[in-house]
Amino acid sequence: MTGPFSPYRLAGLSLRNRVIKAATYEGMTPGAQVSDALVEHHRALAKGGVAMTTVAYCAVAPDGRTFRDQLYMRPSLVPQLRRLTDAVHADGAAASLQLGHCGSFCNNHDLERSRPLGPSRAFNKLGALSGRPIADAMSSDDIERVTNEFVVAATLAREAGFDAVELHLGHGYLLSQFLSPATNRRRDQHGGVLENRARFALAVVERVRAALPPALPVLAKVNLRDGFPGGLELDDSVQLARWLEARGCDALVLSGGFVSRDPFYLFRGERPLRAMIAVEKSVAQKVALALFGPFVIRAHPFEPMYFLPLAREVRRAVRLPLVLLGGLTSVEHLQIAADEGFELVAMARALIHDPGLIGRYAAGQAQVSGCVPCNLCVAEMDRPGGVRCARR
Ligand SMILES: Cc1cc2nc3c(=O)[nH]c(=O)nc-3n(C[C@H](O)[C@H](O)[C@H](O)COP(=O)(O)O)c2cc1C
């Protein structure tokens, strides 16, 4: 049986159905610590019926944080995370940890270095008004160091009880900055042709895969397209998918978008500019958003299952399990994904709206989500209480 509510085995991990809660930065980690709210957030998702919940982007090192109040992996975090994974397991779900590094997209005032690092020297738009306007190019030693940080972080994630890790190769963060021709202008073995631009990401996946037991799935979240001219395009991502499959990656989460260039390509739907201005802490950023937001933040209309046409091309090219995401909200969408050959799906906003949705779907008590793509949750993650549906 291949319906959305049938069990699935990913590497050695038994999932009770095909639905993963996608990583959504929770904003519930003040001081880079696991809060009760974070544990309760994921407990509710587990109780609500998802097969696996993903804790959002835990940086692999302190300087890999986009924001200061974001988790970064270290031995003292392991018991805190263990509390979360125990809670998720007690409600019958699996837990995955998304591991990432912000690269040159950084608004963290507590950097150990004077400047953030990325593939090439770059303007750091996010930190421009708060004193970190320039990012430096990484040396080969930096690349090796960060590769090791991914490996150590993945090993600690396992110690903390996570059943899977998801490596963030998309959305314009560090590994995506290397993959994208728009942000990678290097002239060494990490720049130029796709094979070079992919070298860092592939090494991270290969080394993390080798460091963990084969039964523990290693997923990669990748861009189908960066979403702007000059960025990574579908032909590149199809090739990347083939290489990731050959490196032993267990599943690909198919996404797109580049937060520093065109953030709403990733989400589609309304741009919650007023709410974004309200939650912004820096006065200069507030003014910049009010003046330029409507022009620099492009609008992208919402369509159900908006990545499906691109994702089909990857489906044709590889055999490893694929996770379809992007505008999946109803039982019908989940069934279409299964019929189109996607082993798994991931959902973000519909589960922020209602963490109990999948349980209700599986029990036949509901068919559609009440989530409208207002994207107020995107602004909510920056409020003190963290991410929530502002319409409930
Ligand atoms: C509030 C919010 C925070 C997000 N944070 C992350 C994140 O930390 N890492 C990530 O890979 N994607 C993040 N995303 C993107 C989602 O994982 C997902 O790719 C996107 O919302 C599309 O799925 P959906 O249509 O089911 O919402 C975030 C989305 C939202 C709404």
Side-chain angles (χ1 to χ4, degrees), residues 22-25 56 98 168 171 221 267 306 325 327 348-349 377 381:
T24 57
Y25 175 58
Q98 186 179 55
H168 205 339
H171 297 177
K221 191 163 184 177
F267 303 115
Y306 50 85
L325 136 157
R349 288 164 292 184
C377 54
M381 65 186 176

Side-chain angles (χ1 to χ4, degrees), residues 104 142 169 199 205 295 319 350 373:
S104 60
D142 290 325
L169 272 56
R199 199 178 298 281
V205 171
F295 310 105
R319 303 190 61 178

